[in-house]
């Protein structure tokens, strides 16, 4: 069978269409149903605690739906009828509750000590009595946070976790407890799955591991539109052997069609639900953990956009900035901006701005319009453009014309 060949422009439009960028911009209030439909496209939202601009899981919906009530997502996570739950998917993620049965194989593996930090596995084995005691406390008093336990203050990374926090995280990995909601500080509140998940979800029979993985691969491939097997594997962080087997099965079923894409090292696959939009006409700022760019090799293959997050790079060694967002204009990424929300001063700080080589002449105007929309959504009054980057002067000129 001769494989279909896709041009670079077709690949970009298919990928962006699959991620929800080909839809007509909303005119009116964003509702739970809009969020549900968009999550049906992306499959998940990656969570990240960095709040220099806005939490990472808030931004993909904004990029696709436009300004929406921020508390709407929180209510979808914590209020009935509950729409989302938290678990380890593509890192820590928010997922539709219907996906929970598909993640149980990972929970069962965690309980056996597989796919979890070795130090956490060792802790759980050595401190079994403490883990059981923490579980009983959640069972009795949930929803509870680590800081609710006597003597606990709650802290950051693994190296700073208390024993109670380690026990809670182990139980979370194993699926014995789940996230009920989060406090304004972003601290998790834990409870039992049977008290958090909708009854019909909790009582859904657990699929076989290979069936669950096949369903996850299908979700990932649909969300990507066109992808290599490593792209698909990365979406839910599957192991290579499992992903390769499931992809082969979906090809056999006709859910995935092999296609040729010039320059790709790995074979590419087109999902049967993928559409080829005639054009993409949605300007958008993409968070560093947006599915369009979170797999850096894929972003470079599709958009010719080399992207590295520099949060952990010493300030004097950063090329583009601390929290850099790619700017999507049409079906190309044309610029990148280092943004920060100064909430006390009610200012959106544009700490640097850089244009890509292929950026069109109207990039500064389009980007400034998007920055204005973003600042309004974040309830910030002004935009301060700092003179860093080759796009800064043009942005400042556009800003000056708007003020005049």
């Amino acid at each position: 069978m001769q494989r279909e060949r896709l041009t670079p422009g077709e690949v970009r439009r298919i990928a962006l269409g699959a991620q929800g960028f080909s839809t007509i911009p909303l005119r009116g209030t964003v509702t739970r149903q809009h969020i549900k439909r968009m999550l049906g496209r992306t499959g998940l939202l990656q969570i990240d605690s960095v709040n220099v601009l806005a939490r990472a899981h808030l931004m993909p919906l904004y990029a696709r739906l436009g300004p929406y009530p921020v508390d709407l997502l929180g209510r979808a996570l914590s209020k009935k009828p509950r729409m989302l739950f938290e678990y380890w998917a593509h890192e820590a993620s928010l997922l539709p509750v219907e996906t929970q049965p598909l993640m149980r194989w990972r929970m069962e593996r965690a309980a056996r000590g597989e796919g979890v930090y070795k130090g956490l596995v060792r802790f759980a084995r050595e401190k079994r009595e403490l883990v059981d005691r923490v579980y009983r406390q959640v069972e009795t008093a949930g929803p509870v946070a680590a800081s609710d336990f006597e003597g606990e203050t709650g802290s950051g990374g693994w190296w700073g976790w208390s024993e109670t926090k380690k026990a809670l995280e182990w139980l979370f990995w194993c699926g014995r407890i789940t996230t009920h909601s989060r406090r304004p500080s972003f601290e998790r509140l834990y409870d039992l799955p049977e008290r958090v998940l909708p009854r019909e979800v909790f009582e859904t029979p657990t699929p076989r591991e290979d069936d669950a993985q096949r369903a996850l691969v299908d979700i990932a491939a649909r969300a990507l539109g066109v992808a290599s097997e490593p792209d698909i594997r990365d979406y839910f962080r599957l192991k290579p052997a499992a992903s390769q087997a499931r992809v082969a099965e979906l090809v056999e079923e006709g859910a995935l069609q092999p296609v040729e894409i010039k320059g790709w090292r790995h074979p590419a696959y087109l999902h049967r639900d993928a559409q080829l939009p005639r054009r993409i006409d949605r300007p958008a700022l993409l968070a560093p953990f947006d599915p369009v760019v979170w797999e850096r090799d894929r972003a470079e293959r599709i958009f010719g956009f080399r992207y590295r997050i520099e949060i952990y790079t010493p300030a004097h060694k950063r090329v583009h900035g601390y929290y850099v967002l790619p700017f999507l204009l049409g079906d190309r990424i044309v610029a990148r901006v280092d943004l920060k929300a100064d909430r006390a001063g009610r200012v959106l700080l544009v700490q640097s701005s850089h244009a890509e080589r292929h950026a069109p002449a109207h990039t500064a105007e389009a980007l400034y319009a998007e920055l204005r929309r973003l600042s309004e959504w974040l309830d910030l009054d002004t935009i301060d453009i700092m003179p860093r980057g080759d796009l800064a002067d043009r942005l400042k000129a556009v800003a000056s014309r708007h003020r005049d």
Side-chain angles (χ1 to χ4, degrees):
M1 180 181 69
Q2 186 173 1
R3 294 187 178 188
E4 180 180 354
R5 291 185 179 181
L6 298 177
T7 67
E10 289 171 337
V11 171
R12 291 195 301 271
R13 297 199 304 277
I14 291 169
L16 290 168
Q19 281 287 314
F21 286 99
S22 62
T23 58
I24 298 173
L26 290 176
R27 298 180 183 274
T29 303
V30 176
T31 67
R32 283 173 60 99
Q33 286 306 307
H34 292 123
I35 290 179
K36 185 173 183 177
R37 284 199 293 270
M38 197 53 66
L39 262 293
R41 286 180 174 270
T42 66
L44 54 81
L45 299 171
Q46 184 177 339
I47 300 169
D48 189 78
S49 61
V50 175
N51 197 26
V52 66
L53 180 69
R55 303 254 185 230
H57 55 283
L58 300 175
M59 288 296 297
L61 291 176
Y62 169 78
R64 291 154 177 79
L65 298 174
Y68 70 97
V70 173
D71 66 338
L72 193 61
L73 188 59
R75 296 201 303 272
L77 176 63
S78 60
K79 303 296 183 183
K80 295 181 179 180
R82 189 184 184 95
M83 198 164 68
L84 303 170
F85 80 105
E86 275 192 41
Y87 193 61
W88 294 99
H90 184 92
E91 301 296 336
S93 303
L94 296 177
L95 304 101
V97 289
E98 294 81 6
T99 309
Q100 196 270 349
L102 303 180
M103 305 306 295
R104 291 178 192 164
W105 64 273
R106 182 166 284 169
M107 299 172 187
E108 292 168 357
R109 284 194 175 193
R112 299 195 300 266
E114 301 172 18
V116 188
Y117 305 125
K118 291 182 180 179
L120 194 57
V121 174
R122 185 168 55 251
F123 166 84
R125 288 172 178 165
E126 294 174 354
K127 302 284 186 175
R128 186 169 300 177
E129 185 176 327
L130 171 65
V131 171
D132 290 342
R133 189 163 68 247
V134 168
Y135 174 81
R136 289 194 297 271
Q137 181 69 10
V138 174
E139 184 180 37
T140 301
V144 293
S147 59
D148 292 334
F149 287 77
E150 186 176 356
E152 300 296 333
T153 57
S155 53
W158 161 260
W159 54 90
W161 284 358
S162 67
E163 288 196 339
T164 298
K165 176 64 174 174
K166 291 175 185 176
L168 288 166
E169 287 300 310
W170 168 255
L171 292 165
F172 178 82
W173 264 106
C174 299
R176 295 181 62 193
I177 64 174
T178 191
T179 303
H180 171 275
S181 54
R182 285 183 182 262
R183 288 177 172 165
S185 63
F186 208 58
E187 185 182 17
R188 273 191 185 130
L189 290 169
Y190 300 92
D191 207 342
L192 303 185
E194 55 265 41
R195 297 201 292 243
V196 169
L197 297 171
R199 181 176 177 179
E200 61 273 18
V201 172
F202 182 75
E203 294 180 352
T204 296
T206 300
R208 288 182 2 179
E209 184 171 307
D210 57 345
D211 290 336
Q213 291 174 346
R214 189 179 306 107
L216 293 174
V217 165
D218 186 66
I219 291 170
R222 186 186 302 113
L224 294 169
V226 59
S228 68
E229 181 275 320
D231 294 338
I232 296 169
R233 175 203 316 168
D234 176 73
Y235 215 82
F236 286 98
R237 296 292 167 87
L238 300 174
K239 295 295 185 183
S243 175
Q244 290 162 8
R246 305 293 87 80
V247 165
E249 291 162 2
L250 289 176
V251 169
E252 183 69 21
E253 292 174 13
L256 295 179
Q257 174 190 348
V259 292
E260 286 189 10
I261 303 174
K262 185 177 179 180
W264 284 35
R265 292 186 298 112
H266 298 281
Y269 303 93
L270 181 71
H271 193 274
R272 64 182 164 198
D273 293 341
Q275 302 291 319
L276 175 57
R278 292 182 60 186
R279 59 181 296 178
I280 300 290
D281 195 23
R282 294 284 300 278
L285 286 162
L286 305 175
F289 306 108
D290 190 291
V292 173
V293 294
W294 70 24
E295 212 294 300
R296 310 309 190 201
D297 177 72
R298 176 178 167 85
E300 191 163 356
R301 268 182 287 123
I302 292 180
F303 299 101
F305 181 73
R306 183 172 174 78
Y307 184 39
R308 299 294 183 270
I309 191 165
E310 298 178 276
I311 288 175
Y312 304 110
T313 302
H316 68 282
K317 292 185 178 181
R318 291 178 192 139
V319 176
H320 296 108
Y322 179 81
Y323 199 74
V324 174
L325 283 76
F327 178 51
L328 178 71
L329 185 60
D331 65 357
R332 304 298 295 270
I333 295 175
V334 300
R336 61 186 93 198
V337 282
D338 180 19
L339 300 181
K340 179 179 181 179
D342 176 0
R343 295 175 180 85
R346 300 178 66 85
V347 178
L348 177 62
L349 299 173
V350 184
Q351 301 186 115
S352 73
S353 48
H354 300 261
E356 298 301 297
R357 287 183 290 105
H358 55 266
H362 66 291
T363 294
E365 288 79 5
L367 175 56
Y368 185 72
E370 188 59 30
L371 291 171
R372 289 184 65 185
R373 185 170 73 146
L374 176 65
S375 66
E376 291 172 4
W377 180 57
L378 296 176
D379 198 25
L380 305 174
D381 294 333
T382 58
I383 301 172
D384 184 4
I385 301 167
M386 298 181 182
R388 301 190 192 112
D390 54 36
L391 194 55
D393 288 345
R394 280 183 282 166
L395 268 181
K396 288 178 74 71
V398 173
S400 179
R401 290 199 297 272
H402 277 275
R403 285 195 295 270
D404 295 343

